[in-house]
Amino acid sequence: MADNSSVEIVEGCRLPVLRKNQEHEDEWPLAEILSVKEVSSRKLFYVHYIDFNKRLDEWVTADRLDMKKLQFPKKEAKTPTKNGLPGSRPSSPEREVVTTAPSRGKTLPTPVQVDFFNSKNDERLLWVTTDFVIVCQRFVGSFHGKSVNRQVAAKVHESNVGIVHNQDSQDSSDGIPTAPRMTGSLVSDRSHDDIITRMKNIECIELGRHRLKPWYFSPYPQELTSLPILYLCEFCLKYLKSLKCLQRHLTKCNLRHPPGNEIYRKGTISFFEIDGRKNKSYSQNLCLLAKCFLDHKTLYYDTDPFLFYVMTEYDSKGFHIVGYFSKEKESTEDYNVACILTLPPYQRRGYGKLLIEFSYELSKVEGKTGTPEKPLSDLGLLSYRSYWSQTILEILMDLKPDNGERPQITINEISEITSVKKEDVISTLQYLNLINYYKGQYILTLSEEIVDGHERAMQKRHLRIDPKCLHFTPKDWSKRGKW
């Protein structure tokens, strides 16, 4: 490496940076310099590793920079004009918003009119209506060379074929709108994705017995961002600048659980419903904390139109926050979740699916089908795909004959039973690659691999919502005037 003192590194430069990978081996990925600062006469550089998750961004010292491969930022071309007016500044590739729904390099299925199955073996398949009808039966045999132990036949009506989305690409399932919707307690808005918001500004957060390393920027007051540790009251989420201030606050804070109504309790798990208008301070503090771990959202301070459902674990000291989701009081798009987060100390323990399951239990009580607001975070997408898959497979595998007749179920019935929106049911079947075109018909085939994998996953899923423990009465917010 060259002498770092001979070249001035400015924001926007790119060069390889030394980092340790998961195997703790040295690697030199390309990174962009987002900021430069001097601390105790030593220069520090904030780097974003190109094509890596933003949560890995960090401050590094000059000795970790490979100056031999330094790339200076290119001068921006003049912005193209439209109708004589200057256009917007071209965005970098990672800031571009996808405006087309189909997955890259893929085309959605062409609508097809499917005829009834006409074959000597047609007693194995049963068509009842022109809707998407599924017939399940036990079947051991061979399907396209694969061993199967259960076969599901489906007739796809022409109006439904067009909404079966190809899920090979992660982006295709996100349903990213052409423009950000300015709703949601934390909403997607890439226009604010500038240098400041691309940099983590909080070093460490102390929340109860946990110390959290934030992944992303959160707009806490600027005077607090230079502190080595930001202290939060784990019950009211008020932020304080020192341990002494926190201790003084705890002598005055009477809360030992989130404000609002406890609507669910089983064992040590409780859910509290918080009105964003009645408990505005708590709701805004919750959004500030959540933003530390959600990159694709921008803080939205108007919490009045939202309800917050906070999941907690109880012990002798109180109810400790595990995660939460928010939802609009009124949603014209049938969103039953605006934002959802499990805090890092509780991740990979089944709490994410529990939050999702709870959101659908609320939708069942409301008599509605719901879907999460898009785009989902990377972890959120994984959790929802897993939840939808397990929920739908559970229904298909539990179908039993009725009075000697083969069991039947429609997509609409699956949607009504689960409160999962019909489009999400169909896209999940497509993602699982269960839909096959066989002898002129669409049939769903569950292989032994799918069945065995599902059974193993359900054995590990110990946390479940018990509907009997839910005490929730939905409100008609359209008749309540202003919130």
Side-chain angles (χ1 to χ4, degrees), residues 225-248:
T225 59
S226 59
L227 300 173
I229 299 175
L230 179 62
Y231 294 88
L232 265 60
C233 170
E234 64 172 326
F235 300 114
C236 72
L237 302 184
K238 182 177 180 179
Y239 44 85
L240 302 118
K241 64 181 181 179
S242 69
L243 181 58
K244 190 173 183 178
C245 291
L246 174 64
Q247 290 169 341
R248 188 162 58 243

Side-chain angles (χ1 to χ4, degrees), residues 180-183 186-190 296-298 373-375:
R181 292 176 61 258
M182 288 309 294
T183 59
L186 298 170
V187 298
S188 174
D189 184 1
R190 307 304 288 189
H296 66 297
K297 299 289 186 178
T298 299
E373 186 173 320
K374 313 299 190 305

Side-chain angles (χ1 to χ4, degrees), residues 27-45:
E27 61 180 5
W28 292 84
L30 185 66
E32 179 185 355
I33 304 293
L34 298 186
S35 183
V36 183
K37 69 178 181 181
E38 193 165 321
V39 178
S40 302
S41 302
R42 186 176 65 163
K43 276 194 174 183
L44 297 176
F45 305 87

Side-chain angles (χ1 to χ4, degrees), residues 37 50 52 60 74 86 99 103 221 238 246 260 306 309 340 365 391-392 401 411 427-428 454 469 479:
K37 69 178 181 181
I50 310 299
F52 281 70
V60 301
K74 295 179 181 178
T99 57
S103 53
K238 182 177 180 179
L246 174 64
F306 299 94
Y309 295 89
I340 186 166
V365 177
T391 302
I392 293 169
I411 289 295
S427 65
T428 300
H454 171 72
C469 299
K479 295 181 180 179

Side-chain angles (χ1 to χ4, degrees), residues 338-401:
C339 282
I340 186 166
L341 172 71
T342 305
L343 289 173
Y346 299 95
Q347 290 178 1
R348 301 183 181 277
R349 290 166 56 182
Y351 290 113
K353 277 199 188 71
L354 201 66
L355 282 166
I356 295 171
E357 187 177 2
F358 190 79
S359 71
Y360 282 109
E361 286 298 329
L362 296 184
S363 294
K364 289 177 187 177
V365 177
E366 294 170 337
K368 300 176 181 177
T369 59
T371 189
E373 186 173 320
K374 313 299 190 305
L376 291 165
S377 67
D378 51 355
L379 296 178
L381 179 61
L382 290 173
S383 296
Y384 267 96
R385 276 183 173 171
S386 179
Y387 173 80
W388 288 331
S389 299
Q390 290 180 9
T391 302
I392 293 169
L393 287 172
E394 198 170 24
I395 289 174
L396 295 180
M397 292 171 61
D398 286 346
L399 285 175
K400 292 181 172 56

